[in-house]
Amino acid sequence: MGSDRSCRPALLNCLLICVTLWSNLGSGVFAKSYRRPNIVLILTDDLDIAIGGLSPLNKTKKLIGDAGISFSNAYVASPLCCPSRASILTGKYPHNHHVINNTLEGNCSSKAWQKSEEAHTFPALLKASAGYQTFFAGKYLNQYGHSEAGGVEHVPPGWNYWVALEKNSKYYNYTLSVNGKAQKHGADYSKDYLTDVLANMSLDFLQYKSSYQPFFMMVSTPAPHSPWTAAPQYQGSFNNTKAPRDPNFNVHGKDKHWLIRQAKTPMSNSSVQFLDDAFRKRWRTLLSVDDLVEKIVKRLEFRGELDNTYIFFTSDNGYHTGQFSLPLDKRQLYEFDIRVPLMVRGPNIKPNQTSQMLVANVDLGPTILDIAGLNVNKTQMDGMSFLPVMEGKMNSSSWRTDILVEYEGEGSNVSDPACPLLGPGVSECFPDCVCEDSYNNTYACVRTVAPSANLQYCEFDDNQVFVEVYNVTADPYQLTNIADTVGQDFLEKMNHRLMMLQSCSGQSCRTPGVYDPRYKFDPRQMFTSHSWRLSRLRQTLK
């Protein structure tokens, strides 16, 4: 498909300048750096794995998954676009990068974010310390391009070539920042459909980049985020597909947080039809992502660079369509919202592998830096490199057993006019007053995956300190909250572990978990600043 050709002269000029600058550095640099692997990160938007999100991506599964390793326990640090993307870029949990939601006030692409974090992202380190040429195309952070955050003129440090979408996901009628200059697009499929534009710009980069440096390329597609606009040739696909009717579909979350309990069950027929239609539209948008992946892989193969290139494919969060009678969103603590696809192919990764080891999106930056030969321990990143896992040099007994998931809820200061009885503090409300978010939908979870346990422990930051606990092995659809039936010793251990993770920074985030034999629980280590939580937890569960 054709892209907007007007950007190509600018791209060529930029890349020619890069080549010229690097050619002046001397052949010694080339001899040292050109053999380093290239790295491609393809990031989708709202792509689940629990409800079949990978089903339309047959080419992607063959070209990346079957050619490398698939992680069945890959999680996000927060199930919302901007905090999750900030975690990918920084390798940090939200409590350390301080991006809490998708608003400027929530630090999404704000001036404060730019001053505190942007210069320390993994692409900035790749460019400054490892000599990589870097390319970005697609959705960056939800508030990128906002006038109060520097507009589209702002180009974050670390990028040789920058093609970023202004604000949130769109498919037509959008503005791109092309190296800091606004480029407006309309609704002509042949030159404006964003997924195809990103594919073509990526191919341009691969064609005209310097051959003397390794490269890092990040392609961030709008799909399958709303408004779910498919390419014309795919608009008739999946006409008979419906959202999966898994055991947690359209059932009442009777033992869950109040926000889940308030959902009307069963859903109305119109709500079910709406989410089924949305499900089909989401899948249709993914067919263009599948084409994008194929184009990039084939171009790398044609150029003789595929064998020396790592390709990562993942998403910023999961999604739900009708689970626990919640129509559409991604802000909850359950597997369908926090677990994502992750497939990687590359040098020294054997094909057709599946790993059950626990990885998180805070690990992507450390892993990519490790591939580039940089020492992750010299950074402030909370994640850890899973390169040894991919290369078969790490077994489960020496790998981590738990990760942290954090989310801070959003809500309006005034009541929703359609749902006045709910009062202020809710947001993302659907018909029948089913609201997907609220101020006190604020929680933190320990997600544990170990040979002896597959568990989730979550606490809500509300007056009740509501707790949810799931044995995911016995209850994969998280139908039964077992918080009031597990022992007090277990609750104390998990509460302590949660406080440790919520207070961690850098290497302290990689300490063993409560199910690791190297870890010994000592109540004397309890953080005094958090002791009120344990006392309230005890009172609540008596």
Side-chain angles (χ1 to χ4, degrees):
M1 303 300 166
S3 68
D4 188 343
R5 306 289 166 168
S6 64
C7 69
R8 294 199 177 190
L11 174 55
L12 277 168
N13 289 339
C14 171
L15 292 169
L16 287 171
I17 291 169
C18 291
V19 172
T20 302
L21 289 173
W22 275 88
S23 66
N24 291 332
L25 293 178
S27 59
V29 173
F30 301 153
K32 181 180 180 181
S33 65
Y34 80 93
R35 286 189 292 270
R36 290 185 186 178
N38 307 307
I39 307 162
V40 176
L41 171 59
I42 300 171
L43 179 65
T44 52
D45 197 346
D46 288 1
L47 178 61
D48 63 274
I49 191 169
I51 58 172
L54 285 179
S55 297
L57 294 165
N58 292 323
K59 299 172 185 175
T60 302
K61 288 183 289 188
K62 178 181 178 181
L63 294 171
I64 302 180
D66 293 352
I69 187 168
S70 298
F71 289 88
S72 57
N73 289 304
Y75 290 85
V76 294
S78 187
L80 188 63
C81 299
C82 206
S84 178
R85 288 163 182 267
S87 287
I88 291 171
L89 289 164
T90 63
K92 295 179 180 180
Y93 285 121
H95 69 264
N96 287 327
H97 62 58
H98 306 297
V99 178
I100 61 172
N101 58 42
N102 288 345
T103 66
L104 269 183
E105 296 75 19
N107 203 29
C108 180
S109 203
S110 67
K111 288 285 189 182
W113 152 266
Q114 294 169 17
K115 291 179 181 178
S116 63
E117 300 296 337
E118 275 193 339
H120 307 290
T121 62
F122 79 82
L125 295 174
L126 282 178
K127 182 175 181 287
S129 301
Y132 273 67
Q133 54 189 322
T134 56
F135 169 88
F136 179 88
K139 176 178 172 179
Y140 178 56
L141 301 173
N142 296 56
Q143 296 299 327
Y144 172 76
H146 196 289
S147 58
E148 295 180 21
V152 296
E153 294 77 21
H154 172 69
V155 177
W159 299 102
N160 292 107
Y161 191 67
W162 176 254
V163 183
L165 177 67
E166 180 188 35
K167 298 187 178 176
N168 206 1
S169 287
K170 291 183 179 180
Y171 298 81
Y172 292 113
N173 299 307
Y174 54 85
T175 298
L176 294 176
S177 169
V178 179
N179 292 332
K181 294 183 178 181
Q183 183 185 96
K184 294 187 180 298
H185 284 256
D188 183 339
Y189 170 70
S190 66
K191 61 181 180 180
D192 295 319
Y193 188 70
L194 182 55
T195 307
D196 290 350
V197 169
L198 300 180
N200 289 324
M201 288 186 167
S202 300
L203 298 183
D204 282 350
F205 172 75
L206 292 175
Q207 182 69 29
Y208 299 114
K209 65 177 176 58
S210 166
S211 298
Y212 298 102
Q213 295 171 261
F215 67 85
F216 170 69
M217 183 167 73
M218 182 171 178
V219 186
S220 182
T221 71
H225 195 285
S226 61
W228 315 309
T229 309
Q233 68 270 30
Y234 296 134
Q235 287 177 359
S237 302
F238 308 120
N239 281 338
N240 298 319
T241 300
K242 293 183 178 180
R245 270 50 172 175
D246 290 335
N248 55 11
F249 179 83
N250 203 10
V251 299
H252 187 238
K254 58 184 182 299
D255 53 10
K256 294 171 170 48
H257 191 237
W258 76 269
L259 187 66
I260 311 300
R261 296 198 305 268
Q262 56 85 38
K264 179 183 177 181
T265 306
M267 293 182 286
S268 65
N269 288 337
S270 60
S271 292
V272 174
Q273 290 172 4
F274 173 74
L275 66 87
D276 278 339
D277 185 52
F279 190 88
R280 285 188 286 272
K281 289 178 178 178
R282 283 165 45 79
W283 272 23
R284 290 168 185 154
T285 68
L286 288 169
L287 295 175
S288 293
V289 175
D290 216 26
D291 292 341
L292 175 148
V293 171
E294 181 183 43
K295 289 174 184 177
I296 290 175
V297 172
K298 284 190 171 181
R299 179 59 59 89
L300 288 167
E301 186 175 29
F302 175 78
R303 292 179 56 83
E305 295 176 312
L306 183 59
D307 290 343
N308 194 37
T309 301
Y310 288 86
I311 306 177
F312 293 73
F313 181 91
T314 189
S315 176
D316 58 358
N317 46 255
Y319 207 71
H320 60 257
T321 53
Q323 283 65 39
F324 302 124
S325 299
L326 298 171
L328 298 169
D329 202 49
K330 63 286 186 91
R331 303 160 199 259
Q332 310 307 333
L333 56 86
Y334 309 104
E335 291 286 284
F336 42 75
D337 284 356
I338 65 172
R339 193 161 66 92
V340 292
L342 176 60
M343 299 179 285
V344 192
R345 67 172 292 168
N348 303 317
I349 300 178
K350 294 180 180 178
N352 297 304
Q353 292 188 77
T354 299
S355 174
Q356 295 182 347
M357 293 199 209
L358 180 64
V359 296
N361 63 353
V362 293
D363 300 330
L364 288 170
T367 303
I368 290 171
L369 293 181
D370 194 9
I371 289 170
L374 296 179
N375 186 347
V376 179
N377 291 327
K378 293 183 178 180
T379 73
Q380 298 299 312
M381 293 183 174
D382 303 331
M384 52 199 294
S385 170
F386 55 82
L387 180 60
V389 175
M390 296 193 293
E391 294 182 337
K393 299 176 181 177
M394 178 78 68
N395 59 46
S396 59
S397 63
S398 53
W399 188 246
R400 67 137 79 87
T401 57
D402 58 24
I403 54 143
L404 176 67
V405 180
E406 302 176 291
Y407 179 67
E408 185 160 331
E410 297 180 54
S412 173
N413 293 327
V414 296
S415 299
D416 188 310
C419 307
L421 295 180
L422 291 177
V426 296
S427 65
E428 308 296 323
C429 294
F430 284 84
D432 301 319
C433 296
V434 179
C435 299
E436 294 273 7
D437 208 2
S438 68
Y439 278 133
N440 68 352
N441 184 38
T442 296
Y443 56 81
C445 303
V446 181
R447 185 65 179 90
T448 302
V449 177
S452 60
N454 185 3
L455 299 164
Q456 186 176 21
Y457 173 91
C458 301
E459 290 182 19
F460 282 83
D461 184 14
D462 58 15
N463 292 334
Q464 190 181 359
V465 193
F466 193 82
V467 176
E468 295 190 30
V469 181
Y470 298 97
N471 179 344
V472 184
T473 299
D475 181 19
Y477 295 100
Q478 297 170 294
L479 297 170
T480 304
N481 177 10
I482 59 174
D484 59 352
T485 60
V486 295
Q488 186 70 18
D489 178 61
F490 170 85
L491 291 172
E492 290 187 2
K493 284 186 176 183
M494 297 308 296
N495 171 266
H496 177 62
R497 181 59 179 162
L498 180 60
M499 290 189 293
M500 289 182 69
L501 283 171
Q502 281 199 282
S503 302
C504 77
S505 179
Q507 293 189 50
S508 65
C509 296
R510 310 169 207 152
T511 57
V514 292
Y515 284 94
D516 192 307
R518 295 171 291 174
Y519 174 85
K520 301 299 181 184
F521 176 70
D522 183 355
R524 292 171 298 180
Q525 295 177 357
M526 196 70 70
F527 294 106
T528 56
S529 61
H530 294 281
S531 60
W532 63 273
R533 293 175 64 185
L534 184 57
S535 63
R536 285 168 65 184
L537 181 64
R538 286 171 173 157
Q539 293 169 7
T540 301
L541 296 173
K542 280 181 178 177

